[in-house]
Amino acid sequence: MSYSNVIALATDWTIWHGILESRTWGKGVGALALVQDNITRVTDQLLQDGTNPNNQIRVYDGISMVVHDILRNGTKLAIVSANPSKDMCDRALFYFKTINPSNNQQSSIIDLVEYDEVQDSNPEIKGVNPFRNIRRLSGSDYSQMLMFDAEAASNTVRITLGVSFELVRDRGSGLTWALYQRGLQAWRRAISITLLPNPPTRRRRVLIGYSGLGPTWIRRVRVGEGVVERTEAYRWGYAFYVAASSRTARVFRDLLRSGGQRRARVCQVWVKDYDSWVNVNKIWVPEHGSTVTRTDNKHWSHEQSAQSQEDRDRSIEDHWGVPTPYVLFSRHHHVRGMRKRGRWSEMVVYTQIQRALFDIRPLTDAQVRRISKPSPYPFHRQFRRWNIVVPDETRREFLRHKEKKLYRLSAKAPRPGQTPLPRRRRPKKRLRILVQGRGGATRVFWQAKNGSIRTKGWRPNGSPWPTRILVRARRTRRYTPLAVINWGGKFGFRYIRLFYVDNKNILRNMKGRKGSWRAGKLGRLKLAVAPRSKRLSVRRRGRKQRVRFKSARGRIRVAVFGKKGWKVT
């Protein structure tokens, strides 16, 4: 099982039961000058204020096992807390013990902490600066970090940076072993969508929609971060909102400009890898429903907005079986400035998926006006293709708003708890190459259904040359690419060179001369071709022949035939 590079724990209501703060501790009779010196140990699990026994904290039962497992699997332990008194937290962690897996001896938790980031901060950027410090010190990406905290406001680290976050909901039991495993599973789902630096196959970038963004959002999306702000409404939580049409994005660009953001732009929204995008969890929620509630970030406190996001994530998983990270789709009511009346579709991309799979390209106003296809992928037509889960509650809302087309299209979408439908692929076609000779003579080369490579031709008067089997079945790769050159003779077919890929993905050739065929010497070089490559190209100049192909390592290579035979450049 994989583990993140860094796991961060908060203090109050996560590691221990109670609140440890300098404003209330050490204020009684006989208080010592240093507030941390007033912490006294009652038992191995209980600490209290030496000047006021009513001030107590108790370490939760599962913390020792959780810390031991973190260290045993090579993960760095971090303490990230907004507690205003770092010295008090360090002293408490000194009193609390666990087994050090490196020597199986009992040690203070504080001695096992790699990154001690206890610092007071603004609630709206809570935890952001500590994780920036951890990244600078550790060199680990934010996608390799996981945090547990009892305050929902700490999910700012997920919204802003893409750090995985798990809320400790039950303050009576704190961070339990079950909750710890739940957080690890959430992190593993998030890391599974991260693109590999050197993929075995070529990624397919796809233009998926448009978004009207201000300069702050453009700058943050480009570096893979999100934004927490209260000037704009984020009804489905702080996220990256995308429209299917450039016309819709223009409306929001104009709204931002009228609000003072003169540099707002319409941006193309690109998916870096379409195949990975299809496999991401997706849910289409009703705009007005009882299962999920919307966020009123402009009027709520930051803690309320954060809590609503955590509750929405839990509700979507419990009711419809779609865990985080997911992409949320919904219909949006009409916005002033739009040409058509009625609702339109929006896509909500949260930071972890945005950071892993999405990129943007800002457009000038002139480029926006020249867009010929405003909606490259209408979201409501992608239910089945993108494996978007559509609950019955959402489909009933389609009917209430007389959106019969969406109701009909969503009938083929996956239902909650249903295995995602396999992505339909177009059937592969075996390649046929038509070669022109002189005076109207032609030849065709193709791979038959049994895998053999064959050829047939016609003279200028229409009389045929007989069909020949050039390479027998089971000696070629299925759907092998082909390349052919020909020259010389009355009809231009005195000399023919055929290039193909065999059943072991080795590049080979066949030599034709005056109607007779034999295997060439190119196969002796054992040139490995990429398993899914679809193209070969060949050129001839004088005696030299040059064959371009994609190697097994994904590089474009050239095999050259000259006076000394075949060689690779």
Side-chain angles (χ1 to χ4, degrees), residues 189 192-193 206 208 242 271-286 292 312-313 315-317 319-330 346-350 353-354 357-358 377-392 394 410 412-423:
R189 290 193 300 269
S192 66
I193 62 176
V206 173
I208 206 171
V242 182
V271 169
K272 299 176 184 177
D273 184 9
Y274 186 77
D275 291 334
S276 298
W277 160 249
V278 170
N279 295 323
V280 170
N281 293 334
K282 304 177 190 71
I283 179 73
W284 196 299
V285 302
V292 292
R312 182 164 49 249
D313 291 347
S315 181
I316 288 175
E317 181 176 3
H319 287 84
W320 297 323
V322 180
T324 58
Y326 59 79
V327 175
L328 184 144
F329 292 83
S330 178
E346 68 177 343
M347 177 172 68
V348 184
V349 184
Y350 298 101
I353 298 177
Q354 167 209 318
L357 293 180
F358 281 79
Y377 279 91
F379 297 155
H380 64 275
R381 293 182 177 272
Q382 315 304 322
F383 292 124
R384 182 183 179 90
R385 188 178 301 171
W386 288 355
N387 291 324
I388 305 174
V389 173
V390 183
D392 292 335
T394 302
S410 64
K412 296 182 179 181
R415 289 291 178 268
Q418 190 179 54
T419 303
L421 299 171
R423 182 183 167 198

Side-chain angles (χ1 to χ4, degrees), residues 90-106:
D90 290 349
R91 182 63 59 86
L93 292 172
F94 172 78
Y95 285 130
F96 294 139
K97 310 288 185 179
T98 190
I99 300 297
N100 186 348
S102 63
N103 55 18
N104 291 325
Q105 300 294 321
Q106 201 173 53

Side-chain angles (χ1 to χ4, degrees), residues 443-459:
R443 272 191 177 275
V444 62
F445 297 82
W446 76 96
Q447 186 181 29
K449 290 184 178 181
N450 65 356
S452 62
I453 298 176
R454 305 183 182 191
T455 183
K456 184 178 182 180
W458 295 265
R459 297 179 180 86

Side-chain angles (χ1 to χ4, degrees), residues 392-407:
D392 292 335
E393 187 177 347
T394 302
R395 301 191 71 223
R396 288 194 295 268
E397 188 184 68
F398 291 159
L399 286 180
R400 286 199 303 271
H401 287 268
K402 299 181 180 180
E403 296 169 339
K404 295 182 180 179
K405 185 177 182 179
L406 273 74
Y407 180 80

Side-chain angles (χ1 to χ4, degrees), residues 13 39 88 157 190 216 224 252 260 321 348 350 378 459 483-484:
W13 308 113
I39 300 176
M88 293 184 68
V157 301
T216 302
F252 283 92
V348 184
Y350 298 101
R459 297 179 180 86
V484 179

